[in-house]
Amino acid sequence: MVPRLLIRHQEIETAVGNLAARINQDYSGKNPLVVGVLKGSFIFMADLVRLLGFPVEVEFVRLSSYRGSESSGKVAMVNGLRSPARARDILVVEDIVDTGLSISCVMAHLSRKKPASLKLCALVDKPSRRRVPVTIDYLGFTVPDRFLVGYGLDFNEKFRNLPDIYSLEEGDSAPGAITFVRRY
Ligand code: 5GP
Ligand code: MG
């Protein structure tokens, strides 16, 4: 079975633009701390912050979870924030909310730091897999239970640099069938 092109880069661009427009409205006059969850959010985060029309500070947190395509269910904060978060407006940027365990851990960790506000922006939601409730303030796409790669999302650390998002179906023997197009 061939990996299926699920979300084209152009659709992603449009969605990121719409998210940025809403964030620009809600945060005008503020100077939020934008916190990306590594590694999956790095491309989404880079595209999003460049569309924000106010000064931002950027930080990253890193979690351990996920091996291959199955959640271990175990989540632990590996690297926390370096900037002070107290009384700051914090916007967390996540690639996918799946079971919700990872992002709940991040949000709980940050809320203990007593920020002025704490919101979540996620590119993709997979609500059918949720194990703990999560409020997503800004959401790009809702998808069924598929394993996604591309636009920052990996399979065994590969495919993060694909501009589009693909789904790997059960039984896919060769994710290598995805073609990398050289643009330059
Ligand atoms: P959760 O704790 O919500 O189950 O898992 C969230 C994290 O697992 C996401 O931030 C993402 O990094 C990873 N993840 C969840 N679903 C997928 C997927 O379909 N593809 C990839 N590459 N990573 C995923
Ligand atoms: Mg992630």
Side-chain angles (χ1 to χ4, degrees), residues 5-165:
L5 180 60
L6 197 68
I7 312 172
R8 281 182 191 282
H9 187 74
Q10 198 155 27
E11 288 176 72
I12 300 173
E13 253 178 15
T14 303
V16 175
N18 291 335
L19 292 172
R22 289 180 50 208
I23 293 167
N24 276 326
Q25 273 192 338
D26 296 353
Y27 286 82
S28 79
K30 296 185 173 165
N31 164 226
L33 187 60
V34 182
V35 178
V37 184
L38 291 173
K39 297 181 194 173
S41 73
F42 83 112
I43 289 180
F44 176 38
M45 173 101 161
D47 283 347
L48 183 70
V49 294
R50 283 179 288 177
L51 298 176
L52 300 181
F54 47 79
V56 298
E57 284 162 55
V58 166
E59 274 281 353
F60 290 95
V61 290
R62 189 158 180 191
L63 292 167
S64 69
S65 68
Y66 265 77
R67 296 277 173 274
S69 65
E70 262 310 303
S71 175
S72 62
K74 286 190 218 128
V75 178
M77 181 79 60
V78 180
N79 274 320
L81 274 192
R82 286 165 193 204
S83 313
R86 194 180 181 87
R88 295 295 306 270
D89 292 301
I90 299 185
L91 177 64
V92 177
V93 177
E94 172 66 307
D95 53 359
I96 300 190
V97 181
D98 188 17
T99 63
L101 293 167
S102 310
I103 201 63
S104 302
C105 171
V106 174
M107 301 309 270
H109 173 88
L110 295 175
S111 72
R112 282 195 288 274
K113 296 181 182 288
K114 305 268 188 290
S117 69
L118 179 59
K119 287 191 178 184
L120 174 61
C121 175
L123 183 66
V124 176
D125 186 17
K126 288 202 248 174
S128 64
R129 302 237 316 157
R130 197 71 93 252
R131 284 165 61 183
V132 290
V134 175
T135 303
I136 304 175
D137 301 285
Y138 306 97
L139 174 66
F141 300 95
T142 301
V143 301
D145 181 14
R146 300 275 150 71
F147 190 79
L148 311 184
V149 297
Y151 197 70
L153 303 165
D154 74 308
F155 175 70
N156 289 340
E157 292 303 326
K158 296 210 167 57
F159 308 113
R160 292 193 196 273
N161 59 325
L162 290 167
D164 311 286
I165 293 178

